[in-house]
Structure formats: C-alpha cells, structure tokens
Amino acid sequence: MKIGFAAPVSGSWATPPNLARVARRAEELGYDSLWTFQRLLSPVDASWGEPYRAVQDPIVALSYVAALTERIRLGVAVLNLPFFSPVLLAKQLTTVDIMSGGRLDVGLGIGWAAEEFAAVGVDPRGRGRRAEEFVTALHALWTDEEVEHEGEFYRVPRTRMDPKPVQRPHPPVLLGAKAEAALRRTGRLADGWISSSSTDLRTIGDSIALVREAAADAGRDASALRFVCRGPVMVGPGGAAGRRPLTGSFAEIRGDLAVLAEQGVTEVFADLNFDPEIGSPDADPAESMRRAEAALTELAPR
C-alpha cells in the first residue's frame, strides 16, 4: 500500500514556508504523494469544524509545491466539480500537470455545502447527472484534437484545447463518493475512489467492494482501480478505549494502516489538517509543525 501525506493547507500552519518544508521533507522520506483539499467558505458559527475555517486554494498550493519537488505525486482530494466549468478546470489542471512533469492526481466530488452552492450560483439539484457529464467533457478536453460537447449542463463549441496534459491519456480522475449511487458512478467512470474525512474506516472495505462491483458490471478492469483513503490522523496517548482508526500512538496508527490494506485500500495519506489542534486558525503554528515533523518521520514508508 502506498503512503502519502497531506500538505498544510488549513489553519494557522498553512504558510508558504511550512508548505515548502512539508513537501520537501515528504519527498525526502519517500512518501508517494502529497494532497490538498478544497473549501470555499465556512459558516460563521464554525459548525462544520475547525479545519474548514481557513483553507488555502488547493490548485494554487499544488502549483507552488510542484516547483519545489521532483518525484512525489501531487493530488487534490477533492475539488467540487459543480463549482467549475469543465473548460476552466481542464486548463488549470493541465497546467499543473505540465509544471509538475506529469505528477497530478485529480480528485473530484459533487459538493455538499448549501452555502457554497449559493455563493457560486449553482443549483445543487442533479449533481449526479452533472458529475457524469462533467467527467465526460473533461476527458474530451484532455484527449480529443477537436472538442465539441452539447449536454444538459455544459456546452463546448467546436474548438481545440491545447496544450494537452503530460500524462496520457490524461491525469488520473478519482471520484469522492459516499452514497451507493455515487460509489457505483465511480466504478463506471473513474480511475479510482477517494474516501472522505468522515468515512468509517472500520468498514471502508464495503465501499471498495461496491465500486469494484460497479466497475465489473460496466465491463471494466476492477483490479486496475485505485482506492485512496484520506487518513485523518490524530496522534495521542495509546490504549484509549473505543479508539478510532488512525488515532492514538504512532504504533497503533501504523497497525491501522495494515488493516486498511487488508480491506482493499491501495493508498492512504496521513492528513493532519483534520486535527482541530493543528488545522485551526487559532492553533499554534510552531507546535503544529513540530507535530507534523514527528508524524512525517514516524509514518514514513518503510
């Protein structure tokens, strides 16, 4: 199972020097990937949680670390596709893929926050249909010499989009999904699946099995799919009763990684942004980086 790490993009530790340090250190230690995530807004009562209060733009952050690294793959988990047009996102992601030398992994989701849908002027209804059309249009923009698309949600007049991404046929597209219909969509359309921060990691294998089943039903090679687990790591004392996976001591967390692999996870990235003592704008940035340095060392691939 491949091991990645989440870039500091949420809260007080999300600074350019810290982003550069984590990216370079993760590459130095042999991590396979570095990940960001998207959040446009947060409610004034902070009811979504501390990690969503102050989040950097994920594409800009990946562009920054692309220039500072050479090997590590760069992923976003996830961009909410209703907030973009396929043309705009294809152009932005193509540029990141070129600037990184073909190291980009693209995670896409359908969004869930009513406030964000209102702010970008998009109707949240029909998100599933929108997602299917969006992925189809994105693939065409990346692969077709001449592009023409007429759909329910998007229109692309007969044009060209150049340059194309470095990766062929295109950067891997991984879908974030929780509901059964969305998991089945992933199996039909995507190169893999990304779990959310709220996924129950004790039963993640059930979702993986559903995606694999949908892929097989669609005549696709289910064994070629990637299953990426966002790992909301919270380091603390060991031996706690009722401990959630990826919480507790480093030894316990490393043991959890093996269990995730047994459930079919092919990649996991440790995400400290979802620890409220790290990903909050009120957290001590120096302490957050101290803890991040420890986690980088202790959880590095072996």
Side-chain angles (χ1 to χ4, degrees), residues 130-220:
R130 182 184 290 273
E132 300 223 12
E133 185 181 335
F134 193 103
V135 172
T136 298
L138 195 62
H139 285 167
L141 289 158
W142 277 338
T143 61
D144 293 352
E145 183 176 348
E146 296 180 358
V147 184
E148 188 170 17
H149 177 85
E150 288 282 352
E152 178 183 1
F153 299 98
Y154 305 106
R155 177 177 180 266
V156 183
R158 185 167 176 263
T159 48
R160 297 174 184 267
M161 174 168 278
D162 290 306
K164 300 298 186 188
V166 171
Q167 297 181 85
R168 294 289 189 266
H170 51 71
V173 174
L174 314 168
L175 295 184
K178 293 181 70 174
E180 179 176 345
L183 291 166
R184 291 192 178 278
R185 182 186 310 121
T186 300
R188 291 196 313 272
L189 298 178
D191 299 302
W193 173 66
I194 300 177
S195 67
S196 74
S197 60
S198 62
T199 297
D200 187 345
L201 301 185
R202 296 166 298 184
T203 58
I204 193 172
D206 296 341
S207 296
I208 291 172
L210 194 55
V211 174
R212 288 186 182 277
E213 179 184 291
D217 290 345
R220 306 182 69 209

Coordinates of all heavy atoms in Angstrom, one line a residue, residues 130-220:
R130 N -24.8 15.9 -13.3 CA -23.8 16.9 -13.6 C -22.4 16.2 -13.6 O -21.6 16.5 -14.4 CB -23.9 18.0 -12.6 CG -22.9 19.1 -12.9 CD -23.0 20.2 -11.8 NE -24.2 21.0 -11.9 CZ -24.3 22.1 -12.6 NH1 -23.3 22.5 -13.4 NH2 -25.5 22.7 -12.6
A131 N -22.2 15.4 -12.6 CA -20.9 14.8 -12.4 C -20.5 13.9 -13.6 O -19.4 13.9 -14.1 CB -20.8 13.9 -11.1
E132 N -21.5 13.1 -14.1 CA -21.3 12.2 -15.2 C -20.9 13.0 -16.4 O -20.0 12.7 -17.2 CB -22.5 11.3 -15.5 CG -22.9 10.5 -14.3 CD -23.2 9.0 -14.7 OE1 -23.0 8.6 -15.9 OE2 -23.7 8.3 -13.8
E133 N -21.7 14.1 -16.7 CA -21.4 14.9 -17.9 C -20.1 15.6 -17.7 O -19.3 15.8 -18.7 CB -22.5 15.9 -18.1 CG -22.4 16.7 -19.3 CD -23.5 17.7 -19.5 OE1 -24.6 17.5 -19.0 OE2 -23.3 18.7 -20.2
F134 N -19.8 16.1 -16.5 CA -18.5 16.8 -16.3 C -17.3 16.0 -16.6 O -16.4 16.4 -17.3 CB -18.5 17.3 -14.8 CG -17.4 18.3 -14.5 CD1 -17.7 19.7 -14.4 CD2 -16.1 18.0 -14.4 CE1 -16.8 20.6 -14.1 CE2 -15.1 18.9 -14.1 CZ -15.4 20.2 -14.0
V135 N -17.3 14.7 -16.1 CA -16.2 13.8 -16.3 C -16.0 13.5 -17.8 O -14.9 13.5 -18.4 CB -16.3 12.5 -15.5 CG1 -15.3 11.5 -15.9 CG2 -16.2 12.9 -14.0
T136 N -17.2 13.3 -18.5 CA -17.1 13.1 -20.0 C -16.5 14.2 -20.7 O -15.7 14.1 -21.6 CB -18.6 12.8 -20.5 OG1 -19.1 11.6 -19.9 CG2 -18.6 12.6 -22.0
A137 N -16.9 15.5 -20.4 CA -16.4 16.6 -21.0 C -14.9 16.8 -20.7 O -14.1 17.2 -21.6 CB -17.2 17.9 -20.6
L138 N -14.5 16.6 -19.4 CA -13.1 16.7 -19.0 C -12.2 15.8 -19.8 O -11.2 16.2 -20.3 CB -13.0 16.5 -17.5 CG -11.8 16.9 -16.8 CD1 -11.5 18.4 -16.9 CD2 -11.8 16.4 -15.4
H139 N -12.7 14.5 -20.0 CA -11.9 13.6 -20.7 C -11.7 14.0 -22.2 O -10.7 13.9 -22.8 CB -12.6 12.2 -20.7 CG -12.4 11.5 -19.4 ND1 -13.2 10.4 -19.1 CD2 -11.6 11.7 -18.4 CE1 -12.8 9.9 -17.9 NE2 -11.9 10.7 -17.4
A140 N -12.8 14.5 -22.8 CA -12.8 15.0 -24.2 C -11.8 16.2 -24.3 O -11.0 16.2 -25.3 CB -14.1 15.4 -24.6
L141 N -11.8 17.1 -23.4 CA -11.0 18.3 -23.5 C -9.5 17.9 -23.4 O -8.6 18.5 -24.0 CB -11.3 19.3 -22.3 CG -12.6 20.0 -22.5 CD1 -13.2 20.5 -21.2 CD2 -12.5 21.2 -23.5
W142 N -9.2 16.8 -22.6 CA -7.8 16.4 -22.4 C -7.3 15.5 -23.6 O -6.1 15.4 -23.7 CB -7.7 15.6 -21.1 CG -7.6 16.5 -19.9 CD1 -7.1 17.8 -19.9 CD2 -7.8 16.2 -18.5 NE1 -7.1 18.3 -18.6 CE2 -7.5 17.3 -17.8 CE3 -8.3 15.0 -17.9 CZ2 -7.7 17.3 -16.4 CZ3 -8.5 15.0 -16.6 CH2 -8.2 16.2 -15.8
T143 N -8.2 14.8 -24.3 CA -7.8 13.8 -25.2 C -8.1 14.1 -26.7 O -7.4 13.6 -27.6 CB -8.4 12.4 -24.8 OG1 -9.8 12.5 -24.9 CG2 -7.9 12.0 -23.4
D144 N -9.2 14.8 -27.0 CA -9.6 15.0 -28.3 C -8.9 16.1 -29.0 O -8.7 17.2 -28.4 CB -11.2 15.2 -28.4 CG -12.0 14.0 -28.0 OD1 -11.4 13.0 -27.8 OD2 -13.2 14.2 -27.8
E145 N -8.5 15.9 -30.3 CA -7.9 17.0 -31.0 C -8.8 18.2 -31.2 O -8.5 19.3 -31.1 CB -7.4 16.5 -32.3 CG -6.6 17.5 -33.2 CD -6.0 17.0 -34.4 OE1 -6.1 15.7 -34.6 OE2 -5.6 17.8 -35.3
E146 N -10.1 17.8 -31.6 CA -11.1 18.8 -31.7 C -12.2 18.5 -30.7 O -12.6 17.3 -30.6 CB -11.7 18.9 -33.1 CG -10.7 19.3 -34.1 CD -11.3 19.4 -35.5 OE1 -12.5 19.0 -35.7 OE2 -10.6 19.8 -36.5
V147 N -12.7 19.4 -29.9 CA -13.7 19.2 -28.9 C -15.0 19.8 -29.2 O -15.1 21.0 -29.7 CB -13.2 19.7 -27.5 CG1 -14.2 19.4 -26.4 CG2 -11.8 19.2 -27.2
E148 N -16.1 19.1 -29.0 CA -17.4 19.6 -29.2 C -18.4 18.9 -28.2 O -18.4 17.6 -28.3 CB -18.0 19.5 -30.6 CG -19.3 20.2 -30.9 CD -19.6 20.3 -32.3 OE1 -19.1 19.5 -33.1 OE2 -20.5 21.1 -32.7
H149 N -19.1 19.6 -27.4 CA -19.9 19.0 -26.4 C -21.2 19.8 -26.2 O -21.2 21.0 -26.0 CB -19.2 18.9 -25.0 CG -20.0 18.3 -23.9 ND1 -20.1 17.0 -23.7 CD2 -20.8 18.9 -23.0 CE1 -20.9 16.8 -22.7 NE2 -21.4 17.9 -22.2
E150 N -22.3 19.1 -26.3 CA -23.6 19.6 -26.0 C -24.3 18.7 -25.0 O -24.6 17.6 -25.3 CB -24.5 19.7 -27.3 CG -24.0 20.7 -28.3 CD -24.5 22.1 -27.9 OE1 -25.3 22.3 -27.0 OE2 -24.0 23.1 -28.6
G151 N -24.5 19.3 -23.8 CA -25.1 18.5 -22.8 C -26.2 19.2 -22.0 O -26.6 20.3 -22.3
E152 N -26.7 18.6 -20.9 CA -27.7 19.2 -20.1 C -27.1 20.4 -19.3 O -27.8 21.4 -19.1 CB -28.2 18.1 -19.1 CG -29.3 18.7 -18.1 CD -29.7 17.6 -17.2 OE1 -29.2 16.5 -17.2 OE2 -30.6 17.9 -16.3
F153 N -25.9 20.3 -18.9 CA -25.3 21.3 -18.0 C -24.2 22.1 -18.7 O -23.9 23.3 -18.3 CB -24.7 20.6 -16.8 CG -25.7 19.9 -15.9 CD1 -25.9 18.5 -16.1 CD2 -26.5 20.6 -15.0 CE1 -26.8 17.8 -15.3 CE2 -27.4 19.9 -14.3 CZ -27.6 18.5 -14.4
Y154 N -23.5 21.6 -19.7 CA -22.3 22.2 -20.2 C -22.4 22.2 -21.8 O -22.9 21.2 -22.4 CB -21.1 21.5 -19.8 CG -20.9 21.4 -18.3 CD1 -21.1 20.2 -17.6 CD2 -20.7 22.6 -17.5 CE1 -21.1 20.1 -16.2 CE2 -20.6 22.5 -16.1 CZ -20.8 21.2 -15.5 OH -20.7 21.2 -14.1
R155 N -21.8 23.3 -22.3 CA -21.7 23.4 -23.8 C -20.3 23.8 -24.1 O -19.8 24.8 -23.6 CB -22.7 24.3 -24.4 CG -22.5 24.5 -25.9 CD -23.6 25.5 -26.4 NE -23.5 25.6 -27.9 CZ -22.8 26.6 -28.4 NH1 -22.2 27.5 -27.7 NH2 -22.6 26.7 -29.8
V156 N -19.6 23.1 -25.0 CA -18.3 23.5 -25.5 C -18.4 23.5 -27.1 O -18.6 22.5 -27.7 CB -17.2 22.4 -25.1 CG1 -15.9 22.9 -25.6 CG2 -17.2 22.3 -23.6
P157 N -18.4 24.7 -27.7 CA -18.4 24.8 -29.1 C -17.2 24.1 -29.7 O -16.2 23.8 -29.1 CB -18.3 26.3 -29.4 CG -18.7 27.0 -28.1 CD -18.3 26.0 -27.0
R158 N -17.4 23.7 -31.0 CA -16.3 23.0 -31.7 C -15.0 23.9 -31.7 O -14.9 24.9 -32.4 CB -16.7 22.7 -33.1 CG -15.7 21.8 -33.9 CD -16.3 21.3 -35.2 NE -15.4 20.5 -35.9 CZ -14.7 21.0 -37.0 NH1 -14.8 22.3 -37.3 NH2 -13.8 20.3 -37.6
T159 N -14.1 23.4 -30.9 CA -12.8 24.2 -30.6 C -11.7 23.2 -30.4 O -11.9 22.0 -30.4 CB -13.0 25.1 -29.4 OG1 -13.5 24.4 -28.3 CG2 -13.8 26.3 -29.7
R160 N -10.5 23.7 -30.1 CA -9.4 23.0 -29.6 C -9.0 23.4 -28.2 O -9.1 24.6 -27.9 CB -8.2 23.1 -30.6 CG -8.4 22.6 -32.0 CD -7.2 23.0 -32.9 NE -7.4 22.6 -34.3 CZ -7.0 21.5 -34.8 NH1 -6.4 20.6 -34.0 NH2 -7.2 21.2 -36.1
M161 N -8.4 22.5 -27.5 CA -7.8 22.9 -26.2 C -6.4 22.4 -26.2 O -6.2 21.2 -26.2 CB -8.6 22.4 -25.0 CG -7.8 22.7 -23.7 SD -8.7 22.5 -22.2 CE -9.6 24.0 -22.1
D162 N -5.4 23.3 -26.2 CA -4.0 22.9 -26.2 C -3.3 23.9 -25.2 O -3.8 25.0 -25.0 CB -3.4 23.0 -27.6 CG -3.9 22.0 -28.5 OD1 -3.8 20.8 -28.2 OD2 -4.4 22.3 -29.6
P163 N -2.3 23.4 -24.6 CA -1.6 22.1 -24.7 C -2.4 21.0 -24.0 O -3.3 21.3 -23.2 CB -0.2 22.3 -24.1 CG -0.5 23.3 -23.1 CD -1.5 24.3 -23.6
K164 N -2.0 19.8 -24.2 CA -2.6 18.6 -23.5 C -1.8 18.3 -22.3 O -0.6 18.7 -22.2 CB -2.7 17.4 -24.5 CG -3.5 17.6 -25.7 CD -5.0 17.9 -25.4 CE -5.8 17.9 -26.7 NZ -7.2 18.4 -26.4
P165 N -2.3 17.6 -21.4 CA -1.5 17.2 -20.2 C -0.4 16.3 -20.6 O -0.3 15.7 -21.6 CB -2.6 16.4 -19.3 CG -3.9 16.8 -19.9 CD -3.7 17.1 -21.3
V166 N 0.6 16.2 -19.7 CA 1.8 15.3 -19.9 C 1.3 13.9 -19.8 O 1.8 13.1 -20.6 CB 2.9 15.6 -18.8 CG1 4.0 14.6 -18.9 CG2 3.4 17.0 -19.0
Q167 N 0.5 13.6 -18.8 CA 0.1 12.2 -18.6 C -0.9 11.8 -19.7 O -1.8 12.6 -20.1 CB -0.6 12.0 -17.3 CG 0.4 12.3 -16.1 CD -0.3 12.1 -14.8 OE1 -0.3 11.0 -14.2 NE2 -0.7 13.2 -14.2
R168 N -0.8 10.6 -20.2 CA -1.6 10.1 -21.3 C -2.4 8.8 -20.8 O -1.8 8.0 -20.1 CB -0.8 9.7 -22.5 CG -0.2 10.9 -23.2 CD -1.2 11.7 -23.9 NE -0.6 12.8 -24.8 CZ -0.4 14.0 -24.4 NH1 -0.7 14.4 -23.1 NH2 0.1 14.9 -25.2
P169 N -3.7 8.7 -21.1 CA -4.4 9.7 -21.9 C -4.8 11.0 -21.2 O -5.1 12.0 -21.8 CB -5.7 8.9 -22.3 CG -5.9 8.0 -21.1 CD -4.5 7.6 -20.7
H170 N -4.7 11.0 -19.9 CA -5.0 12.2 -19.1 C -4.6 11.9 -17.6 O -4.4 10.7 -17.2 CB -6.5 12.5 -19.2 CG -7.4 11.4 -18.9 ND1 -7.6 10.9 -17.6 CD2 -8.2 10.6 -19.7 CE1 -8.4 9.9 -17.6 NE2 -8.8 9.7 -18.8
P171 N -4.5 12.9 -16.8 CA -4.3 12.7 -15.4 C -5.3 11.8 -14.8 O -6.5 11.9 -15.2 CB -4.3 14.1 -14.8 CG -4.0 15.0 -15.9 CD -4.6 14.4 -17.1
P172 N -5.0 10.9 -13.8 CA -6.0 10.0 -13.2 C -7.1 10.8 -12.6 O -6.8 11.8 -11.9 CB -5.2 9.3 -12.2 CG -3.8 9.3 -12.7 CD -3.6 10.6 -13.3
V173 N -8.3 10.4 -12.8 CA -9.5 11.1 -12.2 C -10.1 10.1 -11.2 O -10.5 9.0 -11.5 CB -10.6 11.4 -13.3 CG1 -11.8 11.9 -12.6 CG2 -10.0 12.4 -14.3
L174 N -10.1 10.6 -9.9 CA -10.6 9.8 -8.8 C -11.8 10.5 -8.2 O -11.8 11.7 -8.1 CB -9.5 9.7 -7.7 CG -8.1 9.3 -8.2 CD1 -7.1 9.5 -7.1 CD2 -8.0 7.9 -8.7
L175 N -12.9 9.8 -8.0 CA -14.1 10.4 -7.5 C -14.2 10.2 -6.0 O -14.0 9.1 -5.5 CB -15.3 9.9 -8.2 CG -15.4 10.2 -9.7 CD1 -16.7 9.7 -10.3 CD2 -15.2 11.7 -10.0
G176 N -14.7 11.3 -5.3 CA -15.1 11.1 -3.9 C -16.6 10.8 -3.9 O -17.4 11.4 -4.6
A177 N -16.9 9.8 -3.1 CA -18.3 9.3 -3.1 C -18.6 8.6 -1.7 O -17.7 8.0 -1.2 CB -18.6 8.4 -4.2
K178 N -19.9 8.7 -1.3 CA -20.3 8.0 -0.1 C -21.6 7.3 -0.3 O -21.7 6.1 0.1 CB -20.5 9.0 1.0 CG -19.3 9.7 1.5 CD -19.6 10.7 2.7 CE -19.9 9.9 4.0 NZ -20.1 10.8 5.1
A179 N -22.6 7.9 -1.0 CA -23.8 7.2 -1.3 C -23.6 6.1 -2.3 O -22.7 6.1 -3.1 CB -24.9 8.2 -1.8
E180 N -24.5 5.1 -2.3 CA -24.4 3.9 -3.2 C -24.3 4.3 -4.6 O -23.5 3.8 -5.4 CB -25.5 2.9 -2.9 CG -25.4 1.7 -3.9 CD -26.4 0.6 -3.6 OE1 -27.0 0.7 -2.5 OE2 -26.6 -0.3 -4.4
A181 N -25.2 5.2 -5.0 CA -25.3 5.6 -6.4 C -24.0 6.3 -6.8 O -23.5 6.1 -8.0 CB -26.5 6.6 -6.7
A182 N -23.4 7.1 -5.9 CA -22.1 7.8 -6.3 C -21.0 6.8 -6.3 O -20.1 6.9 -7.2 CB -21.9 8.9 -5.2
L183 N -21.0 5.8 -5.4 CA -20.0 4.8 -5.5 C -20.0 4.0 -6.8 O -19.0 3.6 -7.4 CB -20.1 3.8 -4.3 CG -19.7 4.5 -2.9 CD1 -20.2 3.6 -1.8 CD2 -18.2 4.7 -2.8
R184 N -21.2 3.7 -7.2 CA -21.4 2.9 -8.5 C -21.0 3.8 -9.7 O -20.4 3.3 -10.6 CB -22.8 2.5 -8.6 CG -23.2 1.4 -7.6 CD -24.5 0.7 -8.0 NE -24.8 -0.4 -7.0 CZ -24.3 -1.6 -7.1 NH1 -23.5 -1.9 -8.1 NH2 -24.7 -2.5 -6.2
R185 N -21.2 5.1 -9.6 CA -20.8 6.0 -10.6 C -19.2 6.0 -10.7 O -18.7 6.0 -11.8 CB -21.3 7.4 -10.3 CG -20.9 8.5 -11.4 CD -21.3 9.9 -11.0 NE -22.6 9.9 -10.5 CZ -23.0 10.3 -9.3 NH1 -22.2 10.6 -8.4 NH2 -24.3 10.3 -9.0
T186 N -18.6 5.9 -9.6 CA -17.2 5.9 -9.5 C -16.7 4.6 -10.3 O -15.7 4.7 -11.1 CB -16.7 5.9 -8.1 OG1 -17.1 7.1 -7.4 CG2 -15.2 5.8 -8.0
G187 N -17.3 3.5 -10.0 CA -16.9 2.3 -10.7 C -17.0 2.3 -12.2 O -16.2 1.7 -12.9
R188 N -18.1 3.0 -12.6 CA -18.3 3.1 -14.1 C -17.4 4.1 -14.8 O -17.0 3.8 -15.9 CB -19.8 3.6 -14.3 CG -20.8 2.6 -14.0 CD -22.2 3.0 -14.6 NE -22.5 4.4 -14.5 CZ -23.2 4.9 -13.4 NH1 -23.5 4.1 -12.4 NH2 -23.4 6.2 -13.3
L189 N -17.0 5.2 -14.1 CA -16.4 6.3 -14.8 C -14.9 6.6 -14.5 O -14.2 7.1 -15.3 CB -17.2 7.6 -14.5 CG -18.6 7.7 -15.0 CD1 -19.2 9.0 -14.6 CD2 -18.7 7.5 -16.5
A190 N -14.5 6.3 -13.3 CA -13.3 6.9 -12.7 C -12.1 5.9 -12.7 O -12.3 4.7 -12.9 CB -13.5 7.5 -11.3
D191 N -11.0 6.5 -12.5 CA -9.8 5.7 -12.3 C -9.6 5.2 -10.9 O -8.7 4.4 -10.6 CB -8.5 6.5 -12.7 CG -8.6 6.9 -14.2 OD1 -8.7 6.1 -15.0 OD2 -8.6 8.2 -14.4
G192 N -10.5 5.7 -10.0 CA -10.4 5.2 -8.6 C -11.3 6.0 -7.7 O -12.1 6.9 -8.2
W193 N -11.2 5.8 -6.4 CA -12.1 6.3 -5.4 C -11.3 6.9 -4.3 O -10.2 6.4 -3.9 CB -13.1 5.3 -4.9 CG -13.9 5.7 -3.7 CD1 -14.9 6.6 -3.7 CD2 -13.9 5.2 -2.4 NE1 -15.5 6.7 -2.5 CE2 -14.9 5.8 -1.6 CE3 -13.1 4.2 -1.7 CZ2 -15.1 5.6 -0.3 CZ3 -13.3 4.0 -0.4 CH2 -14.3 4.7 0.3
I194 N -11.8 8.1 -3.7 CA -11.2 8.7 -2.6 C -12.2 8.8 -1.4 O -13.3 9.3 -1.6 CB -10.7 10.1 -2.9 CG1 -9.7 10.1 -4.0 CG2 -10.1 10.8 -1.7 CD1 -9.2 11.5 -4.5
S195 N -11.8 8.3 -0.3 CA -12.7 8.4 0.9 C -12.7 9.8 1.4 O -11.8 10.5 1.2 CB -12.3 7.3 1.9 OG -11.1 7.7 2.5
S196 N -13.7 10.1 2.2 CA -13.8 11.4 2.8 C -13.3 11.4 4.3 O -13.0 10.3 4.8 CB -15.3 11.9 2.9 OG -16.0 11.2 3.9
S197 N -13.2 12.5 4.9 CA -12.7 12.6 6.3 C -13.7 12.0 7.2 O -13.3 11.6 8.4 CB -12.4 14.1 6.7 OG -13.7 14.8 6.6
S198 N -14.9 11.8 6.8 CA -15.9 11.2 7.7 C -16.2 9.7 7.5 O -17.1 9.1 8.1 CB -17.2 12.0 7.6 OG -17.8 11.9 6.3
T199 N -15.5 9.1 6.5 CA -15.7 7.7 6.2 C -15.3 6.9 7.4 O -14.3 7.1 8.1 CB -14.8 7.3 5.0 OG1 -15.2 8.0 3.9 CG2 -14.9 5.8 4.8
D200 N -16.2 5.9 7.7 CA -15.9 4.9 8.8 C -14.8 4.0 8.3 O -15.1 3.1 7.5 CB -17.2 4.2 9.2 CG -17.0 3.3 10.4 OD1 -15.8 3.0 10.8 OD2 -18.0 2.9 11.0
L201 N -13.6 4.1 8.8 CA -12.5 3.3 8.3 C -12.6 1.9 8.7 O -11.9 1.0 8.2 CB -11.2 4.0 8.7 CG -10.9 5.4 8.2 CD1 -9.6 5.9 8.6 CD2 -11.2 5.5 6.7
R202 N -13.5 1.6 9.7 CA -13.6 0.2 10.1 C -14.4 -0.6 9.0 O -14.3 -1.8 9.0 CB -14.4 0.1 11.4 CG -13.6 0.8 12.6 CD -14.5 1.0 13.8 NE -15.6 1.9 13.5 CZ -16.5 2.4 14.4 NH1 -16.4 1.9 15.6 NH2 -17.4 3.2 14.0
T203 N -15.2 0.1 8.2 CA -16.0 -0.6 7.2 C -15.7 -0.1 5.8 O -16.5 -0.2 4.9 CB -17.5 -0.5 7.5 OG1 -17.8 0.9 7.5 CG2 -17.8 -1.1 8.8
I204 N -14.5 0.5 5.6 CA -14.2 1.1 4.3 C -14.2 0.0 3.2 O -14.5 0.3 2.0 CB -12.9 1.8 4.3 CG1 -12.7 2.7 3.1 CG2 -11.7 0.9 4.5 CD1 -11.5 3.6 3.2
G205 N -13.9 -1.2 3.5 CA -13.9 -2.3 2.5 C -15.3 -2.5 1.9 O -15.3 -2.9 0.7
D206 N -16.4 -2.1 2.5 CA -17.7 -2.3 1.9 C -17.9 -1.3 0.8 O -18.4 -1.7 -0.3 CB -18.8 -2.0 3.0 CG -18.8 -3.0 4.1 OD1 -18.2 -4.1 4.0 OD2 -19.4 -2.7 5.2
S207 N -17.4 -0.1 0.9 CA -17.5 0.9 -0.2 C -16.6 0.4 -1.4 O -16.9 0.6 -2.5 CB -17.1 2.3 0.3 OG -18.0 2.7 1.3
I208 N -15.4 -0.1 -1.0 CA -14.5 -0.5 -2.1 C -15.1 -1.7 -2.9 O -15.0 -1.7 -4.1 CB -13.1 -0.9 -1.4 CG1 -12.4 0.3 -0.9 CG2 -12.2 -1.7 -2.4 CD1 -11.2 0.0 -0.1
A209 N -15.7 -2.6 -2.2 CA -16.3 -3.7 -2.9 C -17.4 -3.2 -3.8 O -17.6 -3.8 -4.9 CB -16.9 -4.7 -1.8
L210 N -18.2 -2.2 -3.4 CA -19.3 -1.7 -4.2 C -18.7 -1.0 -5.5 O -19.3 -1.2 -6.6 CB -20.1 -0.7 -3.4 CG -21.5 -0.3 -4.0 CD1 -22.3 -1.5 -4.3 CD2 -22.2 0.6 -3.0
V211 N -17.6 -0.3 -5.4 CA -17.0 0.3 -6.5 C -16.5 -0.7 -7.5 O -16.7 -0.7 -8.7 CB -15.9 1.3 -6.1 CG1 -15.1 1.8 -7.3 CG2 -16.4 2.4 -5.3
R212 N -15.9 -1.8 -6.9 CA -15.3 -2.8 -7.7 C -16.5 -3.6 -8.5 O -16.3 -3.9 -9.7 CB -14.6 -3.9 -6.9 CG -13.2 -3.4 -6.3 CD -12.5 -4.5 -5.6 NE -11.3 -4.1 -5.0 CZ -10.1 -4.0 -5.7 NH1 -10.1 -4.3 -7.0 NH2 -9.0 -3.6 -5.1
E213 N -17.6 -3.8 -7.8 CA -18.7 -4.5 -8.4 C -19.2 -3.7 -9.6 O -19.5 -4.2 -10.7 CB -19.8 -4.7 -7.4 CG -21.0 -5.4 -7.9 CD -22.1 -5.5 -6.8 OE1 -21.9 -6.3 -5.9 OE2 -23.1 -4.8 -6.9
A214 N -19.4 -2.3 -9.4 CA -19.9 -1.5 -10.4 C -19.0 -1.5 -11.6 O -19.4 -1.4 -12.8 CB -20.1 -0.1 -9.9
A215 N -17.7 -1.5 -11.4 CA -16.7 -1.5 -12.5 C -16.8 -2.8 -13.3 O -16.8 -2.7 -14.5 CB -15.3 -1.3 -11.9
A216 N -16.9 -3.9 -12.6 CA -17.0 -5.2 -13.3 C -18.3 -5.2 -14.1 O -18.4 -5.7 -15.2 CB -17.0 -6.3 -12.3
D217 N -19.4 -4.7 -13.5 CA -20.7 -4.7 -14.2 C -20.6 -3.8 -15.5 O -21.3 -4.1 -16.5 CB -21.8 -4.1 -13.3 CG -22.2 -5.1 -12.2 OD1 -21.8 -6.3 -12.3 OD2 -22.8 -4.6 -11.3
A218 N -19.7 -2.8 -15.5 CA -19.6 -1.9 -16.7 C -18.5 -2.5 -17.6 O -18.2 -1.8 -18.6 CB -19.2 -0.5 -16.2
G219 N -18.0 -3.7 -17.4 CA -17.0 -4.3 -18.3 C -15.6 -3.7 -18.1 O -14.8 -3.9 -19.0
R220 N -15.4 -3.1 -17.0 CA -14.0 -2.5 -16.7 C -13.2 -3.4 -15.8 O -13.7 -4.3 -15.2 CB -14.2 -1.1 -16.0 CG -15.1 -0.2 -16.8 CD -15.1 1.2 -16.0 NE -13.9 1.8 -16.1 CZ -13.4 2.7 -15.2 NH1 -14.1 2.9 -14.1 NH2 -12.2 3.3 -15.3

